Amino acid sequence: MALVKNELPILEYDTEQTAVIMPGHHSDFKFPERAVMLFMEPEIDDFVAKNECEIIGKFESVTKEFNVYKTKINHVDIAFVQAPLGGAGAVQIMEQLIAGGVRKIIAAGCCGALVDDMEGSLFIPTVALRQEGTSYHYLPPEREITLDKEPIKAICKVLNHAGLNYRKCKTWTTDGFYRETKEMVQYRKSEGYSVVEMECASMAACARMRNILFGQLLFTADSLANVDAHDIRNWGNDFFAATMRLAMDIVTEV
């Protein structure tokens, strides 16, 4: 095991996988093998109210409690939980799920479009740019992370079966929502990134280090395709519920 030091702290990395504080230290939860992490809230509440969903875990943070629910989709038990905005918070929830026995995770939520599209367009990240901080605590420094092939195949299978159009893409993961400057957006577009979000690279890195499968389904909300006129559209509000159900179907195929 080795601690790799660097003048820039973000590039420092420890190969040791055991930390002073480990996930699961406050609980003894047992979760199904498959889980869905959802970057949404009302849609989860509506689903729970309309279906027989058992609370099988509860993660406490200084700002909110996150209930972990269990449901059965396509005769398969799955856990699902709301995921907080941003890589650091999302990975904290992810770590707790893994500590409870989850081995396959599909995340679902919205993103910003960097290319011309219709609001609600579906994208499957295959590569994520690591312009955030969390991934550097899990993997050695590299510019990008490639996502797992098996979940990508499962996402494609479900979307194809549903007759839905989608695009595979490279995604720009950032933790600076208000630092998406005109020049930076144009730069990312020139590099071939189609969407921007705040969690994918972080979660993919955590999954890789913990040796579990991870994939993500994104749909576009606002658009940065025209850097001179940010278009918030309807922030993707009409597409959350459908994407949630797609993610649940997808995780049963992984």
Side-chain angles (χ1 to χ4, degrees):
M1 302 302 175
L3 176 63
V4 181
K5 297 181 179 180
N6 192 289
E7 182 180 357
L8 302 177
I10 194 66
L11 300 180
E12 294 182 323
Y13 175 71
D14 193 344
T15 60
E16 173 62 58
Q17 293 198 10
T18 302
V20 176
I21 304 173
M22 289 295 290
H25 61 287
H26 285 319
S27 65
D28 189 28
F29 297 132
K30 300 298 181 185
F31 301 131
E33 181 185 33
R34 294 172 170 82
V36 174
M37 296 181 64
L38 299 160
F39 293 92
M40 57 190 75
E41 184 170 29
E43 295 76 16
I44 297 175
D45 295 338
D46 290 345
F47 185 88
V48 170
K50 296 174 182 177
N51 298 273
E52 296 182 2
C53 300
E54 175 188 357
I55 296 178
I56 55 174
K58 185 174 291 187
F59 302 146
E60 296 181 0
S61 74
V62 296
T63 56
K64 179 176 177 174
E65 290 186 345
F66 295 84
N67 289 331
V68 183
Y69 299 96
K70 185 172 76 171
T71 189
K72 192 178 291 289
I73 302 292
N74 302 332
H75 308 291
V76 177
D77 287 336
I78 67 168
F80 65 97
V81 62
Q82 183 187 22
L85 179 70
V91 164
Q92 194 167 3
I93 297 295
M94 186 182 216
E95 284 272 36
Q96 295 284 359
L97 291 173
I98 296 169
V102 172
R103 307 304 300 166
K104 301 175 180 182
I105 294 176
I106 294 295
C110 65
C111 60
L114 301 180
V115 295
D116 290 328
D117 77 321
M118 298 294 291
E119 183 178 3
S121 296
L122 296 170
F123 284 86
I124 307 171
T126 59
V127 173
L129 181 70
R130 296 171 62 184
Q131 199 188 18
E132 36 69 69
T134 303
S135 68
Y136 293 88
H137 298 283
Y138 285 86
L139 296 177
E142 284 189 311
R143 185 171 181 82
E144 297 175 328
I145 181 168
T146 300
L147 275 74
D148 299 320
K149 293 181 180 180
E150 185 177 337
I152 292 172
K153 290 180 180 178
I155 297 171
C156 293
K157 178 179 179 180
V158 170
L159 298 186
N160 287 333
H161 186 264
L164 297 170
N165 294 323
Y166 62 88
R167 282 181 271 182
K168 295 179 181 178
C169 73
K170 294 173 62 174
T171 182
W172 166 24
T173 305
T174 179
D175 54 13
F177 184 80
Y178 292 115
R179 294 302 299 152
E180 297 167 19
T181 64
K182 287 184 179 181
E183 285 196 26
M184 186 65 76
V185 171
Q186 289 171 333
Y187 176 38
R188 297 299 177 224
K189 290 173 64 175
S190 72
E191 291 184 298
Y193 296 97
S194 299
V195 298
V196 58
E197 40 66 43
M198 302 185 70
E199 300 88 16
C200 187
S202 303
M203 299 175 76
C206 175
R208 186 69 43 79
M209 195 270 270
R210 298 298 186 197
N211 196 31
I212 67 116
L213 291 174
F214 168 76
Q216 187 159 17
L217 176 63
L218 296 170
F219 67 90
T220 51
D222 59 323
S223 176
L224 293 81
N226 179 356
V227 295
D228 294 316
H230 175 221
D231 187 357
I232 65 172
R233 302 193 283 203
N234 190 36
W235 288 115
N237 285 321
D238 296 332
F239 303 95
F240 280 97
T243 307
M244 173 183 176
R245 183 54 200 245
L246 286 171
M248 290 183 168
D249 289 338
I250 290 163
V251 81
T252 67
E253 297 288 343
V254 180

